[in-house]
Amino acid sequence: MSAGWYLRRLSRMAPREIGGRARDAVRRRRWRSSLPDSPGVSGARFTAVLPAGTTAAVPPDAAKRLIAEADRLMAGHAEFFGVVRDDLVDPDWCHDPKTGRRAPWGYAFDVPYRSEDTVGDIKQIWEPSRHQYLTVLAAAYAITGDERYAERVAEHLRSWWAANAPLRGVHWISGIELGIRLLSWVWIRRLLEGWPGAAGLFEDNPVALDQIWHHQRWLAAFPSRGSSANNHVIAEAAGQFAAACAFDWFPSSARWRADALRSLERHLRANTFGSGLNRELATEYHGLVLELGLAAVAEADAAGVPVPAPVRLVLLRMTDALAAVVDNRLRPPRQGDADDGHGLIVDGTGTDRWASLLATGDAVFGRLAWWPEVTGSDVRTPLLAALIRPGAIEVTRPASRPAHFADAGMTVLRGPEEIWCRCDGGPHGFLSIAAHAHADALSVEVRHDGVDVLADPGTYCYHGQPEWRRYFRSTLGHNTLQLDGDDQSVSGGPFLWTRHARSRVLVADTSDESVARWYAEHDGYQGSVHRRRAELTAASRELRIVDEVRGPNRSVRLAFHLGPAITAELVGNRAVLTWTRDGEERSAVLDLPGQLSWQAHRGESDPPLGWYSAGFGRKEPATTLVGTGSTDGTEGFVTVLGFGSQG
């Protein structure tokens, strides 16, 4: 990174964080030449096993998906972030198949992992080494008893341990990677319990013991700090805690366990609004944190370690909040960054992540009457539910489905025919750098029966492609209004915002079944205030959006991003939208502000405009409608999205 970036990053840190990072730097220099041996362990036993009969509770269709995925992995096939791989029979742990580059060897903290020219795409290298594909293979063994799966897991773990000595290479740089990897190892050992070679792979294997000890020593020494204490620190604490519970074999295990539990409690509370939504306002990280928290509680209960009541309470609130915001197809909002990160994977392709979390929430906490029905099945829920002790939590849960989350600034308007609209009037991300935020103040996201109509385009990438990173987190890249070609918030780097737009919800009224209303403003454009009203009327099945700008005359761009399934015919300031859902033709009409000149954009690259990213590393062309003009002489820009009657 440039010197300017370091100065901007430093400016967002408090003195305590600066001091902590300085101590970390000293420790890294000292560790370069001083790598201690792990303590000797004798008589270690693994006792955190699944209760008898647990795997018999896995639904047959979920088991079928899992085994199909395991067989693909056995053949060497996998896909990570849109890149299809066929080298998983004998992987090169430092090779990036996307760029063809191989990360350099050496002292971990010397590896320039942010440089794609030197290392390759770091996400492509790191992801297989989270070993979550090995938890899938281990789960397949647990269900089928087929030792081929267990033997492949053992081969790959031994290969990884041999190729990645402690503090050497790219896999010893980031704490979130170490934390998730430890959690995977715990579950691999648990799922291989019936295999005769399990003890020889783990507790009776000096190499495994050395790796587990050094992973925990690293996490104890280098926690994410201050402005970086987001989902990363929760993954670090959850992995450390899980390993210290399940692999309780070292002199420091009790201290690591206690420290990790304190960190987990503190940061779960800090990362979560009182309403239950994640403070990063990035939905996929809500899912990641919830998965990590549930996995940590499972380890505590399996080991008989008391869990502070606030931990379970936060997870309960997160689960209720998730149930509240999903649409009728159980899809949550697409908000903020998303990198397809999971805490624990034991399911096959095609398993609905959000349905799985709600199913686990039902099993652990009990569903409320207003929760949406979960029709899918998964492997993870019966495994977690077998370990987590049920028990009443002293809290008043919502009596009806919440629609407005005041602390998070999120409002969900719901209409007939499964019309769903998310309105964003919340804070610009979490902590001083708001790392995973997008410049999306007052944006709206609209779906009809689960289909993206006015879509949040997603994330696509983090490192290596700065022009695409800028676009997908920009104001123009969202369904909101841009003034003078500027973003509402000011970016100082790919995970750094140096000025944050402040939003305020003025009205959020969903009490009237005939009309749901939302009204909010933000101050991101210095010298001007952008206000937006949204009204969803049940009888007419219309969403009416009014944008107002208070301040001097300025140029305007108003963008509406359509989902990839939507075909648009734009004539003047009217767009006819059509799509197919379950074999049925559907349509809507988008009447756009007449004061602006409208143009459709699709799949443009210079500069980027008209794209949709369904998942990290993947993008596809989609239509974006952009109106240009100025604020001069207008009292407001009116947009009406009408769904009409469905025949």
Side-chain angles (χ1 to χ4, degrees), residues 91-96 101-105 119 125 163-164 169-171:
D92 180 340
W93 302 107
C94 293
H95 178 255
D96 166 29
R101 296 186 178 92
R102 193 172 191 280
W105 183 250
V119 173
I125 297 173
N164 294 279
V170 74
H171 296 299

Side-chain angles (χ1 to χ4, degrees), residues 23-40:
R23 290 190 295 274
D24 289 347
V26 171
R27 185 176 291 114
R28 289 186 184 107
R29 286 197 296 270
R30 188 171 69 247
W31 281 23
R32 177 194 297 273
S33 57
S34 177
L35 183 67
D37 294 328
S38 58

Side-chain angles (χ1 to χ4, degrees), residues 22 40 68-69 105 187 190 201 242 250 257 259 273 278 288 290 316 359 369 474 483 514 542 544 549 631:
E69 179 70 12
W105 183 250
W187 273 91
R190 173 174 292 127
L201 180 62
F250 307 103
R257 184 168 58 245
D259 290 348
F273 287 113
N278 183 265
L288 173 64
L290 181 53
L316 168 60
S474 70
L483 296 182
S514 61
E542 286 185 348
R544 180 183 178 89
V549 178
T631 61

Side-chain angles (χ1 to χ4, degrees), residues 53 319 333 382:
T319 306

Side-chain angles (χ1 to χ4, degrees), residues 24-25 61 172 231-232 258 355 399 412 442 469 494 581:
D24 289 347
D61 57 334
W172 290 87
N231 63 85
H232 283 232
V412 178
L442 308 196
R469 177 65 172 154
R581 179 58 149 165

Side-chain angles (χ1 to χ4, degrees), residues 403-405 410-411 413 505-511 516-519:
H404 176 59
F405 299 81
M410 181 189 293
T411 307
L413 311 180
V505 176
L506 305 172
V507 175
D509 184 2
T510 61
S511 60
R517 296 180 174 90
W518 172 81
Y519 187 22

